[in-house]
Amino acid sequence: MSFKSDLEKGEEMEQVVIEVLSADWIQLIKNPDNRGADLLIVTDSIEVKLDDMSNKTGNFFLEYECNWKKSGVYKEEEVPVKWWAHSDWNKILLISMKFLIRWVSNRVDECNKNKTKTSRWARIIQSWGDWGRVTGLVVPKEELENIAYKTYNL
């Protein structure tokens, strides 16, 4: 996998999210600014994340740091994004961004209390991605499904 192929698949998923959510919500459009949120609703914004590896692992990965700077979930604290759409090509989980930030922060705190960086529900991993050192939370897919505002089956 490369950043370019991941980007292409992510953009394809953005189009799927537009089609699926437009049937249930008001019109969605791709953000022409290409900074911050991927999609815009008339009054809301959505960040779209595709995690196709989760179909092999059974877990979702929620990045929150890259090269020792906020990224992923935590980057969205600084960008006015209202919703997080996480997909594995089978489902789209729509989650409130404010809730997700608190939820991830609580899981990270739980994991950091243990030397193994794990808790009952999650574990912290660090790896090297396309852009350098990436840190994130690995959680069972069911855990993220349990906090979703709405789930769309594809």
Side-chain angles (χ1 to χ4, degrees):
M1 287 193 263
S2 68
F3 177 76
K4 185 177 179 187
S5 68
D6 287 349
L7 179 63
E8 289 170 357
K9 286 194 269 182
E11 288 174 343
E12 185 178 345
M13 178 50 63
E14 289 173 7
Q15 192 57 45
V16 171
V17 170
I18 287 173
E19 292 169 13
V20 171
L21 296 187
S22 290
D24 193 35
W25 288 49
I26 50 180
Q27 183 181 5
L28 291 167
I29 60 168
K30 198 154 170 45
N31 185 357
D33 187 17
N34 207 24
R35 289 188 316 224
D38 298 316
L39 307 177
L40 300 175
I41 305 174
V42 173
T43 58
D44 290 334
S45 54
I46 300 173
E47 179 67 16
V48 177
K49 297 296 178 185
L50 172 63
D51 191 346
D52 50 359
M53 282 295 293
S54 68
N55 292 317
K56 294 178 184 173
T57 66
N59 299 310
F60 280 131
F61 179 73
L62 298 165
E63 177 186 319
Y64 62 83
E65 188 179 276
C66 183
N67 293 324
W68 299 273
K69 294 180 184 174
K70 288 181 178 183
S71 66
V73 173
Y74 286 169
K75 180 182 175 192
E76 305 312 327
E77 290 179 310
E78 302 164 0
V79 180
V81 175
K82 187 165 182 181
W83 297 101
W84 180 275
H86 209 95
S87 182
D88 62 1
W89 289 112
N90 299 309
K91 294 180 180 179
I92 298 169
L93 307 178
L94 190 62
I95 305 167
S96 159
M97 196 65 234
K98 285 183 180 180
F99 182 84
L100 183 63
I101 290 168
R102 284 193 313 269
W103 188 86
V104 167
S105 294
N106 289 339
R107 295 304 178 279
V108 168
D109 289 346
E110 290 171 13
C111 290
N112 281 328
K113 290 178 183 176
N114 299 310
K115 290 180 183 177
T116 59
K117 300 291 187 194
T118 61
S119 76
R120 182 175 172 201
W121 308 112
R123 73 180 184 277
I124 295 173
I125 63 168
Q126 294 179 340
S127 65
W128 292 92
D130 295 316
W131 298 105
R133 185 181 155 275
V134 175
T135 305
L137 196 63
V138 175
V139 298
K141 289 169 89 170
E142 301 81 37
E143 286 300 306
L144 214 55
E145 289 174 10
N146 288 338
I147 67 165
Y149 168 76
K150 191 158 188 181
T151 300
Y152 296 87
N153 292 312
L154 300 178

